Amino acid sequence: MSYCYEYPHPAVTTDVVAFTVIRDDLQVLLIRRARPPYRGAWALPGGFINPDETLEECVRRELEEETGIDDVFMEQLHTFSAPDRDPRERVITTAYYALVPPNRQEIRGASDAAEARWFALEGLPPLAFDHAHIVRTARARLVEKLEDPATAFRLVLDVFTLSDLQRVHEAILGVAIDKRNFRKKILGQGLIEETGAKRQCGAHRPAMLHRVIE
Amino acid sequence: MSYCYEYPHPAVTTDVVAFTVIRDDLQVLLIRRARPPYRGAWALPGGFINPDETLEECVRRELEEETGIDDVFMEQLHTFSAPDRDPRERVITTAYYALVPPNRQEIRGASDAAEARWFALEGLPPLAFDHAHIVRTARARLVEKLEDPATAFRLVLDVFTLSDLQRVHEAILGVAIDKRNFRKKILGQGLIEETGAKRQCGAHRPAMLHRVIE
DNA sequence: TCAAAAGTGTTGGCTGTACACCCATGG
DNA sequence: CCATGGGTGTACAGCCAACACTTTTGA
């Protein structure tokens, strides 16, 4: 009890809603809490801020500590401040969302996380704190952010097929998209180019590989 | 020094970028600080959170205390957390933006504000802390939010002319808009209706008054 | 009768959507 | 030769931008 202030100060944490697309599903990264409160419950990765770091530094550190994921795209989502959202003390949390491409999906549970797992968005377990609310907010934001073509590129590998990209859009929006219209739109943006190589997987025609220009 | 914690806790504040349109200009509400740090400098209205209030309650309270404005539309903008953004101690601030219609523009400086004034966005004085950065962020958000027709409605009276509404759009975007295209688009949304009354002001044809439907 | 803001339609380009078939490959 | 996903074009509708003159009023 050695940090004293003239006025009450809330605790400040960060939490992150890390999204990825696996097969045809939008998935979210959860950890099982190793400590009370909500010990054993599933929750978003996150934790308390240190005095010398920004919120973004904090959330990247916590994500790396608890799940091993680092160096992914992240953006601030919203700050949640209901006075009773944490049973221990007054805790204000700034939530971020992260976009994790397929080659960064490898996770390990560590630090305050007994376990870490990807969950399809439909069919999440009950979540600790107000984390279900945070996940809903993040999902809505992701749908909006999909209008920026850069968003979907962050959820595929550096080299990808147009079908890969379409799967990302479909998983996020939860609807089927017409293939010809999708390709016309994407190619019309002039943001990607063919690599020249093709990818063969399965008993069918190989797909042209593309990359983002520059 | 009576509030003690096991780990260091940052101070948490809110700040608000209150926008209004006066004549043809987008304006921002600033206060002159009555206390150090930055005593005498212009800054955004805002202040420290109380233990039992949410961030939104805090920002509404501070805006009312310092400028007398209450009951306006507000939305969370971003949380700013550079460790050295306040010279006193570690302060994390959650910024909101507010939309103030013409009948709520009356202000008085009170509490921690020696003075309160509307400033045109082009031509702000030097601002305390990182508030210039916050204002830039808010302005960019407001431009995005203008795509939602509800945004402009919040910056005019309940009963307004199409020219009023167009002035709001032009002030925010900083460009001239074609009158016929603007009216066609707005009326095509089916969100407003004529009140039947007209407004006469100046030596020219009176304008039809409109209101938002429902 | 002049100044000042209100009000009013048409056209062309672009964008988004609906829709069906052939191609390349492995098994 | 069959199953599987890859790849392709056209036609219609809705949206946006450009563009100029008449109306109503007070001075």
Side-chain angles (χ1 to χ4, degrees):
Chain A
M1 286 302 183
S2 39
Y3 296 92
C4 298
Y5 308 92
E6 203 169 336
Y7 299 101
H9 283 36
V12 172
T13 62
T14 58
D15 290 296
V16 55
V17 185
F19 289 111
T20 205
V21 175
I22 300 180
R23 268 183 258 283
D24 294 339
D25 290 320
L26 181 59
Q27 310 226 354
V28 172
L29 183 54
L30 300 178
I31 59 145
R32 216 153 48 69
R33 290 179 59 83
R35 305 183 187 192
Y38 294 100
R39 183 176 185 157
W42 291 98
L44 296 171
F48 292 90
I49 195 169
N50 291 330
D52 58 341
E53 65 186 358
T54 64
L55 287 165
E56 181 163 338
E57 285 160 0
C58 173
V59 73
R60 288 185 181 278
R61 175 179 54 73
E62 290 284 350
L63 182 61
E64 203 283 326
E65 286 175 8
E66 295 183 345
T67 73
I69 289 184
D70 75 353
D71 193 28
V72 294
F73 173 85
M74 241 183 230
E75 210 165 67
Q76 198 185 104
L77 176 63
H78 193 83
T79 299
F80 297 85
S81 63
D84 60 351
R85 56 176 297 284
D86 190 306
R88 290 168 290 189
E89 61 174 324
R90 211 289 156 84
V91 179
I92 291 175
T93 196
T94 298
Y96 284 72
Y97 71 94
L99 304 179
V100 180
N103 58 341
R104 301 258 171 70
Q105 287 166 353
E106 290 290 313
I107 50 182
R108 50 143 233 272
S111 181
D112 290 348
E115 191 182 346
R117 244 194 69 191
W118 291 106
F119 285 84
L121 250 184
E122 328 297 329
L124 294 185
L127 297 187
F129 306 105
D130 53 358
H131 288 187
H133 179 209
I134 297 176
V135 170
R136 282 194 299 275
T137 306
R139 186 174 148 68
R141 175 74 64 89
L142 181 57
V143 169
E144 288 170 17
K145 282 285 169 177
L146 198 57
E147 282 171 31
D148 178 352
T151 300
F153 296 150
R154 295 179 174 122
L155 286 163
V156 294
L157 296 175
D158 289 344
V159 160
F160 54 89
T161 69
L162 291 176
S163 298
D164 291 339
L165 204 59
Q166 183 170 345
R167 247 189 303 280
V168 166
H169 278 82
E170 289 176 332
I172 294 173
L173 298 175
V175 298
I177 300 172
D178 179 84
K179 205 200 316 187
R180 282 170 294 189
N181 292 337
F182 180 78
R183 294 162 103 87
K184 194 180 342 149
K185 179 171 147 186
I186 298 295
L187 295 173
Q189 290 167 171
L191 296 173
I192 64 174
E193 61 188 1
E194 296 182 355
T195 65
K198 298 186 181 194
R199 181 205 294 163
Q200 177 76 47
C201 63
H204 53 83
R205 180 171 175 176
M208 299 289 299
L209 287 168
H210 292 76
R211 70 168 81 88
V212 176
I213 294 175
E214 271 134 358
Chain B
M1 286 301 183
S2 38
Y3 297 92
C4 298
Y5 308 93
E6 203 168 336
Y7 299 100
H9 283 37
V12 172
T13 63
T14 57
D15 290 296
V16 56
V17 184
F19 290 111
T20 205
V21 174
I22 300 180
R23 267 183 257 283
D24 293 339
D25 289 320
L26 181 60
Q27 309 227 355
V28 172
L29 182 54
L30 300 179
I31 59 145
R32 217 153 48 71
R33 290 177 58 82
R35 306 183 187 192
Y38 294 99
R39 182 175 185 161
W42 292 98
L44 295 171
F48 293 91
I49 194 170
N50 290 331
D52 58 342
E53 65 187 358
T54 64
L55 287 164
E56 182 164 337
E57 285 160 359
C58 173
V59 75
R60 289 185 181 277
R61 175 179 54 74
E62 291 284 350
L63 181 62
E64 204 284 325
E65 285 176 8
E66 295 184 346
T67 73
I69 289 183
D70 75 352
D71 194 27
V72 293
F73 174 85
M74 243 184 228
E75 209 165 68
Q76 198 185 104
L77 176 63
H78 193 83
T79 300
F80 296 85
S81 63
D84 59 352
R85 57 176 295 285
D86 190 306
R88 291 168 289 189
E89 60 173 325
R90 211 287 156 86
V91 179
I92 291 175
T93 196
T94 298
Y96 283 73
Y97 70 94
L99 303 179
V100 180
N103 57 341
R104 302 259 171 70
Q105 287 167 354
E106 289 291 312
I107 50 180
R108 51 140 232 271
S111 180
D112 291 348
E115 191 182 345
R117 244 194 70 191
W118 291 106
F119 285 84
L121 250 185
E122 329 297 328
L124 294 185
L127 298 187
F129 306 105
D130 53 357
H131 288 187
H133 179 210
I134 296 176
V135 171
R136 282 193 299 275
T137 306
R139 185 174 148 67
R141 175 72 64 88
L142 180 58
V143 169
E144 288 170 16
K145 281 285 169 177
L146 198 56
E147 283 171 31
D148 179 351
T151 300
F153 297 149
R154 294 178 174 124
L155 286 164
V156 294
L157 297 175
D158 288 345
V159 160
F160 55 89
T161 69
L162 291 176
S163 298
D164 291 340
L165 203 60
Q166 183 171 344
R167 249 189 301 281
V168 166
H169 278 82
E170 289 176 331
I172 294 173
L173 298 175
V175 298
I177 300 172
D178 179 85
K179 205 199 318 185
R180 281 170 292 189
N181 291 337
F182 180 78
R183 295 162 102 87
K184 195 179 341 149
K185 179 170 144 186
I186 298 295
L187 295 173
Q189 289 166 172
L191 296 174
I192 65 175
E193 62 188 1
E194 296 182 356
T195 64
K198 298 187 181 194
R199 182 204 296 162
Q200 177 77 45
C201 65
H204 52 82
R205 179 170 176 178
M208 299 289 300
L209 287 169
H210 292 76
R211 72 168 79 89
V212 176
I213 295 175
E214 270 132 358

